Amino acid sequence: MGSDAMTELDGPIPDERDGAPGARVAPDVDLRHHGDAEIGPGLVDLAVNVRLTAPPPWLVRRLTASLGDLAAYPDTGRARAAIAARHRRPIAEVLPTAGAAEAFVLLARTLTPRHAVVVHPQFTEPEAALRAAGHTVHRVLLDEQDGFTLDPARIPDEADLVVLGNPTNPTSVLHPAATIAALARPGRILVVDEAFADTIPGEPESVADRRELPGLVVVRSLTKTWALAGLRIGYVLASPDLVRILTDAQPLWSVSTPALIAAEACCTPEALAQAEALAVTLAADRSYLVERLRTVSGMRLPVVPRSSFVLARIEGGPEIREQLRERGYAVRRADTFPGLGPDWLRIAVRDRATTLAFAAALEGVVT
């Protein structure tokens, strides 16, 4: 791959529709805005997608025990072995990272794409990292009328780097594994953000184990399911050659000993079984949230959500969001995701009691 630096990192970004480069210019947005900016004292958090309020007790015990080892430098060996076993891959294809965000930065700093494509709406850090590294980013914007689904034909043939999420944040769309696989080809790096893959029972469309797909890079996170956002732990699954390149670019000891202990612990059969049970409970809680939202006047749900959040559209979104804050609820503004506007909101799935109270507050706002 050759380099293709932007002359103005904050300038307009090409948007590709129907495979036509530069078909129109997409308006710029605040790519660094995230759900944690929405929350505040006294607010019920429906803006951040971390599912638990704290790590489970068994994980807290493991993390507490690891504090006795802080005098030694972190050793990634056991964590890499556990992740490799969990995904049936060689250890050489695993790199622990300080959350998924570090993975995107490492990829942006080491890859030199000629034609980088980011599929939106999706998590904005991959594009932000690419731009910060000096790359031109071409956006493929998925459409509401298509349910934000992806047709592989939308990706230009010349794209040598493609980034997308599955399930996708903020749309909660789960793309079929066959669609993802159709994007892989020799000479192209295909980065799939699977930070929310374990929110779906059985992880049916994950490609994390698909070692045969050329150029595939899977980025995973352990922060969402296990309430570890403050610890920062994720990992990359990729070819040994690319893992070596990323390792050389990664700062020494960037993943702490407690984070590595968490990675190892969360890959055990017992932890995976608990994650599956959490995903089943989440599915029921999500169905209840959708049911309640559909009774709210003017609320539109463009897709059947599959992950731990629901994307909704309602006229007057900014005003509704502010009025919800006055009533004690924080939801995620979605106009900072390319392809969405101010009337879009992302709402995290919570337990039924929280959803019922939130729905009552929402109905009080819109009526």
Side-chain angles (χ1 to χ4, degrees):
M1 296 184 182
S3 63
D4 187 10
M6 295 181 68
T7 56
E8 292 184 0
L9 293 183
D10 293 325
I13 302 169
D15 166 30
E16 300 187 357
R17 287 184 176 272
D18 300 325
R24 67 182 181 89
V25 174
D28 210 4
V29 296
D30 181 4
L31 299 175
R32 295 294 191 183
H33 183 90
H34 298 295
D36 59 334
E38 309 281 356
I39 60 178
L43 295 177
V44 177
D45 176 15
L46 301 178
V48 174
N49 288 324
V50 175
R51 293 162 60 191
L52 302 174
T53 58
W58 59 265
L59 184 52
V60 171
R61 289 192 293 271
R62 291 290 302 272
L63 294 174
T64 301
S66 74
L67 299 181
D69 298 324
L70 293 186
Y73 286 99
D75 182 349
T76 64
R78 292 182 57 165
R80 292 180 69 200
I83 295 166
R86 185 248 193 275
H87 293 290
R88 297 186 293 277
R89 283 176 171 264
I91 294 176
E93 296 180 359
V94 174
L95 177 66
T97 57
E102 186 193 29
F104 296 128
V105 170
L106 292 174
L107 288 165
R109 291 178 178 176
T110 56
L111 300 177
T112 55
R114 294 182 300 273
H115 193 105
V117 168
V118 178
V119 180
H120 284 291
Q122 79 149 356
F123 183 53
T124 53
E125 279 303 313
E127 179 175 318
L130 287 166
R131 294 181 67 190
H135 303 297
T136 298
V137 176
H138 301 267
R139 292 175 179 167
V140 170
L141 301 181
L142 304 185
D143 299 313
E144 177 187 0
Q145 57 264 35
D146 297 328
F148 296 110
T149 59
L150 173 62
D151 179 353
R154 293 283 309 281
I155 305 301
D157 289 339
E158 61 268 28
D160 55 355
L161 172 64
V162 178
V163 185
L164 75 158
N166 200 41
T168 304
N169 173 19
T171 63
S172 209
V173 167
L174 181 65
H175 301 291
T179 297
I180 305 298
L183 300 176
R185 62 185 62 180
R188 170 184 288 175
I189 298 295
L190 173 61
V191 180
V192 184
D193 176 6
E194 289 193 354
F196 294 97
D198 64 355
T199 64
I200 302 172
E203 302 186 11
E205 308 300 339
S206 172
V207 294
D209 301 347
R210 298 287 298 273
R211 299 181 60 225
E212 82 283 3
L213 295 178
L216 177 65
V217 178
V218 175
V219 178
R220 302 280 293 228
S221 171
L222 295 172
T223 65
K224 315 303 183 188
T225 290
W226 301 114
L228 295 173
L231 191 63
R232 312 306 307 141
I233 180 61
Y235 54 90
V236 174
L237 304 172
S239 70
D241 287 343
L242 183 53
V243 166
R244 280 193 294 271
I245 292 171
L246 297 176
T247 302
D248 288 343
Q250 187 179 39
L252 286 174
W253 314 297
S254 69
V255 184
S256 69
T257 294
L260 293 169
I261 290 294
E264 181 184 354
C266 292
C267 287
T268 65
E270 295 79 9
L272 295 177
Q274 184 172 344
E276 180 75 4
L278 288 169
V280 171
T281 299
L282 171 68
D285 290 339
R286 183 181 61 240
S287 294
Y288 185 69
L289 173 60
V290 168
E291 177 186 328
R292 299 300 304 172
L293 290 176
R294 284 178 174 161
T295 67
V296 176
S297 176
M299 183 69 73
R300 295 171 52 194
L301 305 181
V303 300
V304 177
R306 297 293 302 275
S307 191
S308 56
F309 43 89
V310 174
L311 182 66
R313 187 173 190 175
I314 189 167
E315 187 175 350
E319 294 79 11
I320 288 173
R321 183 165 50 83
E322 288 305 315
Q323 291 180 52
L324 284 170
R325 291 181 69 86
E326 294 174 2
R327 288 163 170 78
Y329 292 90
V331 298
R332 170 68 154 90
R333 61 185 289 191
D335 59 337
T336 61
F337 294 100
L340 301 179
D343 290 337
W344 292 94
L345 304 173
R346 192 193 70 191
I347 304 166
V349 177
R350 299 292 187 246
D351 62 87
R352 291 193 175 203
T354 301
T355 293
L356 183 61
F358 166 71
L362 180 60
E363 289 169 351
V365 167
V366 301
T367 57

